[in-house]
Amino acid sequence: EVQLVESGGGTVQPGGSLRLSCTASGFTFNKYWMAWFRQAPGKGLEWVANLRGDGSVMHFVDSMKGRISISRDNAKNSLYLQMDSLRDEDTAVYFCARDTNFYDGSAFYDVFDMWGQGTMVIVSS
Amino acid sequence: ATQMTQSPSFLSASVGDRVTIICRASQDIRNDLGWYQQRPGEAPKLLIYATSTLQSGVPSRFSGSGSGTDFTLTISSLQPEDFATYYCLQDSTYPRTFGQGTKVAVK
């Protein structure tokens, strides 16, 4: 079955750290860009970071730069998000998603066609 | 960062209605835009990418159009399963940015 499963969420104090994992199955993981998104309670979606299939290229949202890192272990079909110096405003459900880059002959487009169910991160004292 | 302004934030409609949601970018993003549907408690679902390309398995009542800074998602005849929140997402520049979302509710 083709799926993504996140884990690693929980409750952490402000200033603390957490490492989220996303385990993929049913597709050739190393061929795909992967991304993390988040959604604060009752709020909209926010793109957090992405990482190329070979792990060589990554991008981050400005609000979390310097506090997060993204990595992957293609042998384990896993994507990770290391979050440090966590703040109250980082409280959210974190989703991972597969990006099936679409190329129309002139440009690439993000195609987030598969999502995990999400893992909840609560930052609270 | 490219700002995405989505409107309306909320709309109420009936089954069978034609629904239009607008997304406006703060700068030219060519046709680098996707639309996602999210039901409560669920992960987002891709509807459309590259402004107007329907994702496999998505009903043809969904369509997208636009280019540059102005984009539209249209549901031609609203179905019961379409009551949800819809988001646009630009993939022209980093960081990727979403619109604020449009909640489509039962009138």
Side-chain angles (χ1 to χ4, degrees), chain B residues 17-85:
Chain B
D17 284 354
R18 183 181 181 87
V19 168
T20 298
I21 298 169
I22 292 170
C23 209
R24 178 160 291 162
S26 61
Q27 63 188 68
D28 185 349
I29 59 169
R30 302 172 301 183
N31 66 334
D32 301 345
L33 186 104
W35 290 97
Y36 293 79
Q37 176 194 67
Q38 188 181 33
R39 299 188 179 99
E42 296 185 3
K45 173 188 173 184
L46 173 66
L47 299 175
I48 287 168
Y49 60 93
T51 294
S52 59
T53 304
L54 203 63
Q55 170 67 356
S56 175
V58 174
S60 59
R61 62 180 180 274
F62 291 93
S63 64
S65 63
S67 69
T69 59
D70 295 320
F71 301 86
T72 299
L73 172 70
T74 300
I75 309 172
S76 60
S77 178
L78 200 65
Q79 297 303 300
E81 60 269 30
D82 300 338
F83 292 102
T85 300

Side-chain angles (χ1 to χ4, degrees), chain A residues 33 37 39 43-47 50 59-62 95 99 102 104 106-113 115-118, chain B residues 1 30-33 36 38 41-46 49-51 53 55 87 89-91 94-100:
Chain A
W33 283 78
F37 297 82
Q39 187 169 38
K43 303 297 185 182
L45 294 165
E46 181 178 35
W47 176 93
N50 69 351
H59 301 91
F60 300 98
V61 68
D62 291 347
F95 298 96
D99 185 357
F102 170 68
D104 69 354
S106 62
F108 284 96
Y109 302 92
D110 289 349
V111 179
F112 297 110
D113 63 344
W115 296 67
Q117 84 289 348
Chain B
R30 302 172 301 183
N31 66 334
D32 301 345
L33 186 104
Y36 293 79
Q38 188 181 33
E42 296 185 3
K45 173 188 173 184
L46 173 66
Y49 60 93
T51 294
T53 304
Q55 170 67 356
Y87 296 92
L89 171 65
Q90 68 81 19
D91 59 290
Y94 283 107
R96 306 309 198 209
T97 45
F98 283 93
Q100 306 95 311

Side-chain angles (χ1 to χ4, degrees), chain A residues 27-77:
Chain A
F27 63 96
T28 306
F29 182 68
N30 63 10
K31 293 190 181 301
Y32 292 86
W33 283 78
M34 296 293 296
W36 286 100
F37 297 82
R38 67 180 180 176
Q39 187 169 38
K43 303 297 185 182
L45 294 165
E46 181 178 35
W47 176 93
V48 172
N50 69 351
L51 181 64
R52 202 164 94 167
D54 62 4
S56 64
V57 181
M58 61 191 73
H59 301 91
F60 300 98
V61 68
D62 291 347
S63 61
M64 299 191 84
K65 269 180 188 173
R67 300 190 296 121
I68 60 171
S69 62
I70 187 171
S71 61
R72 62 196 297 161
D73 184 336
N74 287 337
K76 295 182 178 180
N77 289 339

